[in-house]
Amino acid sequence: MGKRATVLLIVSSILLVVSGISFYFFDNRFNEKKIENLQMSLIKEKDIKDYVQYIFVSQKEDQTLKQDGIKLYSYDIDGTVNKKFMNLSDNEKLNVLLRIFDKTSKETNSHSLIECGKKQYCSIDEIKLSEDAKEGHFGDEFKMDFNETNNEHEMEITHYKGTLPQVHTVSGSVDESSLSLEEQSDVTLTAKEVQYNRVGNLGKYFFLKGNATLEDYYNYGFTNEKDFFSVKIIPDYGDISDEWYIYFKRDEHAELYNELLNSSNIPIEVIAGVPEKTYRQEQGNMAIGMQTQF
């Protein structure tokens, strides 16, 4: 083997080793992307940002655990509340924290555990909201652990008189009546996803939010005007070109029918589905409505 060939072989071997090392570290790197997505989702959620000015998902220092080759990083959800929050009752304040809990659970498909890389997990341990401190006065604090027992949650409130803390707790579960249909439901498929893949989502429930009007459009597999009424919904994610025709049973959704009869346009949330038996390839966005909130 010539000198040049030997050099090329050595260089190739070095590059191979470096590439292997790089791949190993790339494949095993710590990834906070899901944490960042969760934080952005909490910031954008209207029912949270109405009461919380600033919200961060923050890693706790010196709280990393290692066991059996698995790393667990601890995080808290921290936020600063506004005057609107401070004017709520204790139970209403608890409900705001429960909204954060519920939103986190839906975003991560878990109450507190997020995969942050190969054999690496991020654990959400606590929600901590606080009032801005004033001169000579510590701001009140509101905490809730990310632990659930029989669907009951406990919020710890620390109120300061001067510098002296007074602590009490408030317990409760999610007030279902105050939640949106999307928050109450386990449905994660969206109308937009179905719109662009109707065949692949036949028979599956999806969530649709928008503005509704009563219509008289019946076509394709949706022609039973006797038992169903037609509603056109312009979705929040689009415009009239993305409109849906949702068909509701008259006997089960009489309240919605009467509301639409007397109102030209109402905001609505719907759980619907495109039945396989009535589907026609040439139809547009047409489905059967199952649940509503308006």
Side-chain angles (χ1 to χ4, degrees), residues 41 43 59 93 151 197 202 228 235 241 255 262-263 285:
S41 179
I43 290 171
Q59 186 175 357
K93 290 171 182 173
N151 204 35
N197 184 16
L202 293 177
F228 291 83
S241 65
E255 185 180 353
N262 297 311
S263 305
N285 294 333

Side-chain angles (χ1 to χ4, degrees), residues 59-74:
Q59 186 175 357
K60 298 159 80 171
E61 294 183 7
D62 302 323
Q63 291 287 323
T64 303
L65 300 177
K66 298 179 183 179
Q67 186 173 352
D68 299 328
I70 295 175
K71 289 184 179 180
L72 183 65
Y73 304 87
S74 295

Side-chain angles (χ1 to χ4, degrees), residues 30 64-65 70-75 113-123:
F30 178 58
T64 303
L65 300 177
I70 295 175
K71 289 184 179 180
L72 183 65
Y73 304 87
S74 295
Y75 285 76
L113 205 59
I114 303 171
E115 190 174 359
C116 292
K118 189 175 181 180
K119 292 187 176 181
Q120 299 184 87
Y121 295 89
C122 299
S123 171

Side-chain angles (χ1 to χ4, degrees), residues 190-209:
T190 66
K192 189 173 184 178
E193 291 173 304
V194 177
Q195 177 178 343
Y196 292 102
N197 184 16
R198 282 193 291 269
V199 174
N201 290 296
L202 293 177
K204 299 178 183 179
Y205 291 136
F206 63 87
F207 176 77
L208 170 63
K209 182 179 181 181

Side-chain angles (χ1 to χ4, degrees), residues 234-286:
I234 308 297
D236 286 354
Y237 67 79
D239 53 30
I240 195 169
S241 65
D242 302 296
E243 68 186 13
W244 279 86
Y245 285 92
I246 308 295
Y247 297 87
F248 295 93
K249 283 189 175 182
R250 293 183 183 276
D251 57 350
E252 295 179 8
H253 299 276
E255 185 180 353
L256 172 61
Y257 178 82
N258 292 328
E259 181 71 21
L260 288 167
L261 202 60
N262 297 311
S263 305
S264 59
N265 193 306
I266 65 170
I268 194 171
E269 295 183 4
V270 173
I271 301 296
V274 182
E276 291 187 62
K277 290 184 179 180
T278 59
Y279 176 72
R280 303 289 184 272
Q281 187 174 0
E282 62 273 18
Q283 76 175 57
N285 294 333
M286 306 170 76

Side-chain angles (χ1 to χ4, degrees), residues 25-281:
F25 282 108
F26 180 81
D27 190 50
N28 290 274
R29 75 194 189 286
F30 178 58
N31 187 350
E32 284 190 295
K33 185 65 177 178
K34 291 183 180 179
I35 291 290
E36 294 168 3
N37 291 342
L38 170 61
Q39 178 173 297
M40 187 56 62
S41 179
L42 293 172
I43 290 171
K44 290 181 176 180
E45 182 68 20
K46 183 181 184 304
D47 291 331
I48 296 173
K49 70 180 182 181
D50 280 352
Y51 301 101
V52 185
Q53 289 177 302
Y54 309 104
I55 193 162
F56 303 95
V57 184
S58 310
Q59 186 175 357
K60 298 159 80 171
E61 294 183 7
D62 302 323
Q63 291 287 323
T64 303
L65 300 177
K66 298 179 183 179
Q67 186 173 352
D68 299 328
I70 295 175
K71 289 184 179 180
L72 183 65
Y73 304 87
S74 295
Y75 285 76
D76 286 335
I77 297 176
D78 299 301
T80 303
V81 299
N82 57 23
K83 289 182 180 179
K84 187 175 180 180
F85 177 92
M86 294 305 297
N87 288 331
L88 297 175
S89 68
D90 284 350
N91 284 327
E92 289 171 329
K93 290 171 182 173
L94 171 62
N95 207 47
V96 174
L97 272 72
L98 289 174
R99 285 178 182 274
I100 296 173
F101 176 92
D102 187 66
K103 185 67 175 176
T104 302
S105 299
K106 288 184 180 297
E107 288 293 319
T108 62
N109 295 318
S110 164
H111 289 315
S112 62
L113 205 59
I114 303 171
E115 190 174 359
C116 292
K118 189 175 181 180
K119 292 187 176 181
Q120 299 184 87
Y121 295 89
C122 299
S123 171
I124 309 296
D125 295 342
E126 191 175 48
I127 299 170
K128 297 192 299 184
L129 303 183
S130 59
E131 178 189 20
D132 270 337
K134 300 175 184 177
E135 188 174 349
H137 172 72
F138 290 106
D140 290 355
E141 297 175 351
F142 309 86
K143 298 180 181 180
M144 189 176 78
D145 286 337
F146 252 81
N147 295 314
E148 183 178 23
T149 306
N150 298 323
N151 204 35
E152 286 286 316
H153 301 268
E154 189 173 85
M155 175 179 67
E156 179 185 279
I157 302 175
T158 303
H159 174 70
Y160 289 90
K161 284 193 172 182
T163 58
L164 297 176
Q166 296 181 341
V167 180
H168 70 280
T169 59
V170 178
S171 299
S173 57
V174 176
D175 179 5
E176 296 289 345
S177 64
S178 69
L179 296 179
S180 68
L181 182 61
E182 183 179 19
E183 291 172 317
Q184 295 178 45
S185 172
D186 292 329
V187 173
T188 58
L189 187 65
T190 66
K192 189 173 184 178
E193 291 173 304
V194 177
Q195 177 178 343
Y196 292 102
N197 184 16
R198 282 193 291 269
V199 174
N201 290 296
L202 293 177
K204 299 178 183 179
Y205 291 136
F206 63 87
F207 176 77
L208 170 63
K209 182 179 181 181
N211 288 292
T213 54
L214 195 61
E215 286 290 331
D216 60 359
Y217 179 68
Y218 299 87
N219 206 341
Y220 301 106
F222 304 87
T223 57
N224 185 0
E225 188 175 354
K226 179 183 177 181
D227 295 327
F228 291 83
F229 63 94
S230 173
V231 176
K232 180 172 73 175
I233 300 177
I234 308 297
D236 286 354
Y237 67 79
D239 53 30
I240 195 169
S241 65
D242 302 296
E243 68 186 13
W244 279 86
Y245 285 92
I246 308 295
Y247 297 87
F248 295 93
K249 283 189 175 182
R250 293 183 183 276
D251 57 350
E252 295 179 8
H253 299 276
E255 185 180 353
L256 172 61
Y257 178 82
N258 292 328
E259 181 71 21
L260 288 167
L261 202 60
N262 297 311
S263 305
S264 59
N265 193 306
I266 65 170
I268 194 171
E269 295 183 4
V270 173
I271 301 296
V274 182
E276 291 187 62
K277 290 184 179 180
T278 59
Y279 176 72
R280 303 289 184 272
Q281 187 174 0

